[in-house]
Amino acid sequence: MMTNHSMDFFVQLHLTERCNLKCKHCYQTGRKVYELSFAEVAGLIKETVETLKEWRKLYDMEYSPSFNVTGGEPFLRNDIFDILAEIGYRGFDIYLLTNGILVNKKKAEALFNLGVKGVQVSIEGPENIHDSIRGKGSFSGSVKGIKNLLDAGLRVTLNTTLSSVNADHLMDIIGISSRLGVRRIGFSRLVPSGRGKTMLKDALDTERVKDLYEKIFFMDTGELEIVTGDPVATQSKIEDVHADKGKIPLGGCAAGVSGLTVMPDGTITPCRRLPIPIGNIRIDSLREVWAGSDVLEALRDRSRYKGKCRRCKRWADCRGCRAISYAFSRAKGKSDFLAEDPQCFISPNPNNAINH
């Protein structure tokens, strides 16, 4: 029986911790790990197919399934194209996150031929700002990769991690996009975890986040599409909604609701930037982790949230960014992934704003 209900479900697959850069704001540590083999990755892909089949029967719901493939730097895996081919063969949309430096013309054409739906490349600002975060020469290397991807006919999104280092350079990033012919820009807030802990002082205060988001969404960007996975940013575009949407998560933060992350050693986490292990695909069933994890259960339960996030009328559509909440609470020695989002300005509470 066909159903009108459809839901996104993605697996963010980190193939390696290895990287050709050492970005200051990276939420990973670059530690050496025993990476999943091709056979193990293929097993994960197959299990995801079977899980979604079962969910379709159980819940009479269609899914739009995808894999977001990244690293470290995914092109440091020699079997990257075999993995992407397997994902496509199993019927998933494929998205790739890369710094672009290793993408030559031949690789870009191979990605296009594999049906990759989109490639995200990080650009942190003009060359001097980008290189100060990602390393000398990284800007020109990424730009070459972006040109190769565009020439091959791929859809490219530039992504920027917002901090005090690049917050004044939004127009520069838009200019770079226009010159390159990129049609989409994405952004996220700095999460001070992993190597990014050292940039805690560069996290934006609540008022600055509000000003930036207002500027981003109200500036004239022509044909350029602005996208974000930040639930607070998404809510800031919506005019005040008086009705409380209730206690069932409907959208917003994906952690525990519409996706899972699998790290290079098979560790499963709720989100790529929320480093709380909830299982390992080498020993655990993805389906059982999704249904039985205490952490995921807590993420879906409004009554377990703290502060303004718990009280907010928009909880069901937002829930704040759990990775931001966790990173900032850890900086205070608490490690609470259900703490309120300290940079949120939608449901303001002056006592809890970030101050440096």
Side-chain angles (χ1 to χ4, degrees), residues 53 69 90:
K53 254 187 209 167
V69 180
R90 293 287 186 177

PDB file of all heavy atoms in Angstrom, residues 53 69 90:
ATOM      1  N   LYS A  53      13.604  -1.257   5.137  1.00  0.00           N
ATOM      2  CA  LYS A  53      12.528  -2.139   4.636  1.00  0.00           C
ATOM      3  C   LYS A  53      11.583  -2.506   5.770  1.00  0.00           C
ATOM      4  O   LYS A  53      10.363  -2.474   5.640  1.00  0.00           O
ATOM      5  CB  LYS A  53      13.153  -3.420   4.058  1.00  0.00           C
ATOM      6  CG  LYS A  53      13.144  -3.493   2.549  1.00  0.00           C
ATOM      7  CD  LYS A  53      13.637  -4.875   2.110  1.00  0.00           C
ATOM      8  CE  LYS A  53      14.312  -4.763   0.745  1.00  0.00           C
ATOM      9  NZ  LYS A  53      15.060  -5.971   0.403  1.00  0.00           N
ATOM     10  N   VAL A  69      28.985  10.888   3.023  1.00  0.00           N
ATOM     11  CA  VAL A  69      30.279  10.211   3.155  1.00  0.00           C
ATOM     12  C   VAL A  69      31.380  11.244   3.344  1.00  0.00           C
ATOM     13  O   VAL A  69      31.497  12.200   2.579  1.00  0.00           O
ATOM     14  CB  VAL A  69      30.567   9.347   1.909  1.00  0.00           C
ATOM     15  CG1 VAL A  69      31.912   8.641   2.047  1.00  0.00           C
ATOM     16  CG2 VAL A  69      29.451   8.319   1.709  1.00  0.00           C
ATOM     17  N   ARG A  90      22.816   0.208  -3.849  1.00  0.00           N
ATOM     18  CA  ARG A  90      21.790  -0.166  -2.863  1.00  0.00           C
ATOM     19  C   ARG A  90      20.633   0.819  -2.800  1.00  0.00           C
ATOM     20  O   ARG A  90      19.724   0.680  -1.981  1.00  0.00           O
ATOM     21  CB  ARG A  90      22.427  -0.282  -1.469  1.00  0.00           C
ATOM     22  CG  ARG A  90      23.412  -1.419  -1.338  1.00  0.00           C
ATOM     23  CD  ARG A  90      22.707  -2.742  -1.293  1.00  0.00           C
ATOM     24  NE  ARG A  90      23.607  -3.855  -1.040  1.00  0.00           N
ATOM     25  CZ  ARG A  90      23.219  -5.110  -0.897  1.00  0.00           C
ATOM     26  NH1 ARG A  90      21.943  -5.421  -1.005  1.00  0.00           N
ATOM     27  NH2 ARG A  90      24.091  -6.066  -0.673  1.00  0.00           N
TER      28      ARG A  90
END
